[in-house]
Amino acid sequence: MKNLLTVTDLSRKEVEEILNIAGRFKEERGEGIRNTNILAGKSILLYFEKPSTRTRVSLEVAILELGGHPIMVRKEELQLVRGESIADTARVLSKYVDAIIARVYKHEFLEELAKYSTIPVINALSDLYHPLQAIADVFTIKEYFGRLKGVRVAFIGDGGSNVAHSLILISALLGLDITVACPEKYSPGSTVLKKALLLAEKSGAEIKVVDDPVQAVKDADVVYTDVFVSMGFEREREERLKIFLPKYQVNRNLLKNARRRIVFMHCLPAHRGEEVASEVLDDETISLVFRQAENRLHTAKAVLAHIFGVRI
Ligand code: CP
Ligand code: NVA
């Protein structure tokens, strides 16, 4: 049984397989072929503690297009909010559905859920990781550049965000070079960095953390950012904006420092005027954000096919 709580639950080979399958799903959908019976007879629970546009809808459509049955529940609908334990919830749900996909505040919640479930558990975003986003991101990079190895990514902003963590880990796994430019207080977690450096020894990836966004952008092919205030951190909003702005905003002025032609990426939703200026986000000559968002669907289908061990 496979869980996907973080991208390093997958091997490099498995991620590469998922990217290939996603490519085939995308091609087929382009030709109007949508429905398969890969998940026929399977029910999948979507449990969401936080809002979501892309993750929730792409997963629900992915499950339907693969012939499965999605069941969406919000946190307040389960007995968990009245004190039922995660362990008991996991044991019960395992008798009904074939997988649980969950978006949660605390990553430990997912670990506990996975510990007591006898079915796969997939992370749809936690405070620590966003693996489904990272898989769509590298799919998008590969689609655009035709390769992954040696592509140089600059992540600007909150180096401790779930999106940054998963991007660092997947880069380390697949051999992309990544420089994170962030204030020291918002550096990537030490466990993530340690793991990334270990993986990088094998893949040849270069992982750097710097303070200066100009330095990161200089040699980049991809400039990536995420919100300064992630879900669950709203109380820190004022303090964070004071530290991040104006230095870490991705705008035309910052991008002038790039020595190569860059593309811009963002997981979305964006806070225009905070981590990114509209002039960059809306510049169709460099912005891949809507392609990234579309690719969430194709890659979600590929992840599900992989989790259920379907050979395509
Ligand atoms: N990128 C992403 O996960 O978006 P949602 O919060 O809309 O799901
Ligand atoms: N870091 C952001 C990502 C949203 C998709 C958050 O957690 O709010």
Side-chain angles (χ1 to χ4, degrees):
M1 188 194 72
K2 289 189 185 78
N3 294 316
L4 178 56
L5 303 191
T6 171
V7 285
T8 51
D9 287 342
L10 298 166
S11 67
R12 177 177 186 160
K13 191 161 167 271
E14 286 177 307
V15 176
E16 285 168 353
E17 267 168 31
I18 288 171
L19 299 183
N20 287 337
I21 299 172
R24 290 199 23 208
F25 280 141
K26 184 167 185 176
E27 223 176 278
E28 284 175 8
R29 204 171 190 268
E31 292 160 7
I33 306 165
R34 292 194 172 191
N35 299 311
T36 69
N37 56 6
I38 286 174
L39 296 183
K42 297 211 183 328
S43 298
I44 298 181
L45 188 85
L46 297 156
Y47 167 78
F48 277 63
E49 293 181 349
K50 296 173 177 172
S52 170
T53 299
R54 282 142 287 269
T55 309
R56 187 248 158 117
V57 179
S58 66
L59 282 165
E60 205 166 320
V61 173
I63 294 163
L64 285 167
E65 289 192 6
L66 295 179
H69 179 69
I71 300 168
M72 171 75 193
V73 292
R74 302 256 336 156
K75 178 181 176 164
E76 61 275 11
E77 292 170 327
L78 294 190
Q79 294 286 10
L80 272 166
V81 285
R82 293 182 56 250
E84 186 166 21
S85 73
I86 300 172
D88 288 353
T89 304
R91 290 184 185 112
V92 171
L93 292 175
S94 296
K95 301 288 180 207
Y96 301 147
V97 295
D98 299 283
I100 301 173
I101 305 179
R103 168 168 286 200
V104 300
Y105 283 96
K106 294 249 161 283
H107 192 73
E108 298 88 49
F109 180 107
L110 287 178
E111 286 172 342
E112 180 93 349
L113 197 67
K115 185 171 165 194
Y116 292 98
S117 293
T118 54
I119 52 173
V121 174
I122 301 172
N123 179 0
L125 181 148
S126 67
D127 55 343
L128 282 187
Y129 302 116
H130 197 1
L132 295 175
Q133 182 67 49
I135 292 169
D137 294 341
V138 288
F139 180 84
T140 308
I141 292 173
K142 191 169 173 210
E143 184 176 60
Y144 186 85
F145 290 95
R147 69 192 163 94
L148 288 173
K149 183 124 188 68
V151 172
R152 301 179 200 191
V153 180
F155 182 94
I156 315 290
D158 182 3
S161 86
N162 39 23
V163 168
H165 280 170
S166 290
L167 193 64
I168 293 166
L169 289 170
I170 208 161
S171 298
L173 188 67
L174 301 180
L176 291 92
D177 296 332
I178 183 162
T179 301
V180 178
C182 58
E184 199 186 345
K185 187 169 178 196
Y186 298 101
S187 297
S190 56
T191 318
V192 170
L193 276 181
K194 253 188 237 152
K195 177 99 193 167
L197 290 172
L198 256 177
L199 288 166
E201 279 175 24
K202 222 173 155 194
S203 70
E206 228 181 65
I207 318 281
K208 279 193 269 181
V209 181
V210 300
D211 171 78
D212 182 11
V214 173
Q215 189 188 337
V217 161
K218 258 188 189 146
D219 291 315
D221 300 299
V222 176
V223 176
Y224 197 122
T225 189
D226 181 14
V227 290
F228 294 146
V229 188
S230 283
M231 292 179 277
F233 294 88
E234 289 80 4
R235 260 178 307 162
E236 299 174 10
R237 182 173 172 78
E238 213 176 310
E239 183 195 346
R240 282 172 172 257
L241 292 188
K242 240 189 254 160
I243 295 176
F244 283 111
L245 283 172
K247 184 170 168 182
Y248 293 93
Q249 184 185 85
V250 177
N251 51 36
R252 275 208 189 120
N253 211 27
L254 176 66
L255 295 184
K256 272 191 201 138
N257 298 291
R259 287 196 277 233
R260 309 147 177 253
R261 212 183 109 54
I262 61 98
V263 290
F264 172 71
M265 295 179 72
H266 192 309
C267 54
L268 301 179
H271 285 168
R272 292 160 182 266
E274 292 184 13
E275 76 280 0
V276 61
S278 288
E279 64 197 17
V280 171
L281 192 83
D282 295 330
D283 181 347
E284 285 176 15
T285 64
I286 58 167
S287 179
L288 296 187
V289 298
F290 296 110
R291 201 199 276 214
Q292 256 177 291
E294 176 191 336
N295 288 337
R296 290 293 307 273
L297 172 61
H298 311 301
T299 50
K301 287 167 84 171
V303 166
L304 289 167
H306 176 80
I307 296 272
F308 284 97
V310 181
R311 292 256 146 258
I312 299 178

